[in-house]
């Protein structure tokens, strides 16, 4: 019976979803709490559960049920069945032994990356990273054959369903062409303004953490269904109803950790806002990482680095760290000029909005070349440094500030990097539409009231889950085709004085 077959599929996918919840907590613990001596045991546990999920998804009965299932046209179940079939194709393309090998390789490489990054020692990581890349290429080839895609497009499809290099390449070509002039114009405009006053001081981690929790809650994060912790690389993870974010602290720089918290809160609020009625089903998951990054970058770049946000945040910062109310360095205008300062640098996660795309262009070029086999992995440090020199004019002094700074490649997340810039483009379009539809949102932000913004986002983005494609979600939310127009206008207005 078609309806019974669909009901069985829902049950099976719910079970798979619960195992993935367990994997999410194990992965979070590995990066935040796990003692180093448990690395090998944890790698085996994660590999075992990963294979179990894969075997459940690719079992012959799943193919039979998917062939038999029917649901009403236009229903959410129809979208769910579509997403089930997509997930099944991805799973059946890859044999279990390859899933297990890839899981072990990434677990071991992630742990080794921590030491290699600290010691700026790419050579020590090369054998383990080679294993990760080899397994990633195997998976990409297998999925590409099953989906009728190139290997890199198959990897992209894991993170951003439906996105292809043909979507990304024209956008990145436009950025590559315009970025040098934009950076020059932004720096020239900045040079004509007074430099921001230094926000010097010592900021105890405990107080920074308390500040972060206050801001998270204001932005809409439900602390009863999540938590904030510390990790080497900030991230958002966990499970349904247990969304966990991390940041890292420096006692002489409060803004870096705060913006990290805001960024990850954008991810977390999206996860917490997914439709509860579609829980543990494919259609109830976030649509893709470009849309996910749009939510984090909307909160961090579009909102938290805006002048209205600083009207609210400046007094909060002064109270938190016992700073005089009339200290000009801690006034809203000075903090705003500090967080919008354009300064080419080595670290991607610390980059300003104007130079950030350069970091992604370099990584995109390198990972596509590595997946395609056009470049040897041993040449990565030199090629990375050359790319940064070409786009930002900087000479990378060591691998810690170069190709070892990100966890993505050691963790197997090849194909993820372009979603950051694609998400930034969507974030600008969403912010423009939200402010157009509710002109009171900027004033509310200045009071620390983010409910109007969240009320706009919830039905248009979060509650959609994976019911629609990313372009269709953006079209419905903004009444316009996805484009770079709002993003380019935003950068010119904020950083080049053209607004």
């Amino acid at each position: 019976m078609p309806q019974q077959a669909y009901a069985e599929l829902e049950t099976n996918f719910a079970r798979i979803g619960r195992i993935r919840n367990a994997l999410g907590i194990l992965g979070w613990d590995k990066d935040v709490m796990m003692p180093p001596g448990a690395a090998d045991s944890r790698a085996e546990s994660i590999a075992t559960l990963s294979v179990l999920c894969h075997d459940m998804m690719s079992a012959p009965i799943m193919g039979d049920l998917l062939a038999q299932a029917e649901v009403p046209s236009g229903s959410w179940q129809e979208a769910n069945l579509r997403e089930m079939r997509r997930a099944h194709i991805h799973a059946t393309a890859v044999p279990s032994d390859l899933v297990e090998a890839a899981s072990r390789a990434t677990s071991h490489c992630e742990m080794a990356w921590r030491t290699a990054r600290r010691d700026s020692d790419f050579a020590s990581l090369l054998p383990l990273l080679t294993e990760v890349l080899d397994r990633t290429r195997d998976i990409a080839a297998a999925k590409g054959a099953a989906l009728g895609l190139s290997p890199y497009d198959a990897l992209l499809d894991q993170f951003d369903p439906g996105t292809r290099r043909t979507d990304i390449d024209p956008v990145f070509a436009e950025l590559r062409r315009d970025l040098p002039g934009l950076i020059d114009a932004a720096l020239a405009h900045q040079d004509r303004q007074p430099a921001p006053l230094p926000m010097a001081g010592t900021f105890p981690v405990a107080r920074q953490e308390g500040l972060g929790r206050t801001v998270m809650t204001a932005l809409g994060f439900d602390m009863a269904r999540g938590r904030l912790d510390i990790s080497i690389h900030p991230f958002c993870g966990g499970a349904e109803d247990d969304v966990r974010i991390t940041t890292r602290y420096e006692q002489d720089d409060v803004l870096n950790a705060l913006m990290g918290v805001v960024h990850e809160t954008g991810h977390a609020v999206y996860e917490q806002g997914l439709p509860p009625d579609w829980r543990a089903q494919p259609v109830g998951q976030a649509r893709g990482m470009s849309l996910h990054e749009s939510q984090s970058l909307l909160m961090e770049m579009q909102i938290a680095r805006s002048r209205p946000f600083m009207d609210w945040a400046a007094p909060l910062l002064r109270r938190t760290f016992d700073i005089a109310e009339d200290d000009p360095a801690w006034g809203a205008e000075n903090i705003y000029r500090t967080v919008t300062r354009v300064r080419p640098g080595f670290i991607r996660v610390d980059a300003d909005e104007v130079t950030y795309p350069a970091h992604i262009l370099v990584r995109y070029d390198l990972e596509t070349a590595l997946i395609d086999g056009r470049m040897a992995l041993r040449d990565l440090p030199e090629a990375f440094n050359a790319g940064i020199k070409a786009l930002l004019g900087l000479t990378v002094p060591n691998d810690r500030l170069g190709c070892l700074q990100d966890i993505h490649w050691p963790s197997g997340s090849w194909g993820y990097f372009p979603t950051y810039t694609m998400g930034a483009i969507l974030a600008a379009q969403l912010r423009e539409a939200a402010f157009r539809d509710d002109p009171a949102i900027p004033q509310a932000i200045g009071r620390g009231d983010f409910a109007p913004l969240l009320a706009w986002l919830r039905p248009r983005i979060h509650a959609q889950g994976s019911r629609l494609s990313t372009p269709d979600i953006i079209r419905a939310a903004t009444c316009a085709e996805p484009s770079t127009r709002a993003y380019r206008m935003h950068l010119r207005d904020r950083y080049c004085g053209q607004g």
Side-chain angles (χ1 to χ4, degrees), residues 17 24 26 60 90 123 151 171 193-194 229 259 308 344 370 432 488 499:
L26 285 174
H90 270 273
V171 174
Q193 314 301 316
D229 292 281
M259 289 300 160
L370 286 164
E432 180 185 64
R488 290 184 286 108

Side-chain angles (χ1 to χ4, degrees), residues 18 38 62 89 111 130 135 144 186 201 205 245 274 278 310 313 353 362 377 391 401 435 480:
R18 292 179 188 117
M62 293 289 271
I89 292 172
M111 294 302 295
T130 297
R135 299 295 75 77
V205 169
I245 73 170
L274 291 169
W278 304 346
M310 289 308 162
E353 276 189 285
V362 170
L377 188 57
L391 285 176
L401 297 176
F435 284 20

Side-chain angles (χ1 to χ4, degrees), residues 152 165 168-180 182-183 348 353-369 374 383-384 386-388 390-392 406 409 416-422 425 487:
Y152 189 79
R165 285 175 71 173
I168 294 169
D169 286 347
V171 174
F172 282 14
E174 179 184 350
L175 286 173
R176 198 183 307 275
R177 182 191 68 229
D178 296 345
L179 201 56
L182 177 64
I183 293 172
R348 176 187 62 84
E353 276 189 285
V354 177
T355 61
Y356 188 94
H359 293 272
I360 299 305
L361 291 174
V362 170
R363 288 156 174 80
Y364 178 69
D365 288 347
L366 295 175
E367 71 175 13
T368 53
R374 294 181 282 110
F384 186 98
I388 293 296
L391 285 176
L392 292 176
D406 297 303
W409 291 332
Y416 191 110
F417 277 122
T419 68
Y420 287 114
T421 292
M422 300 302 282
I425 291 167
Y487 178 66

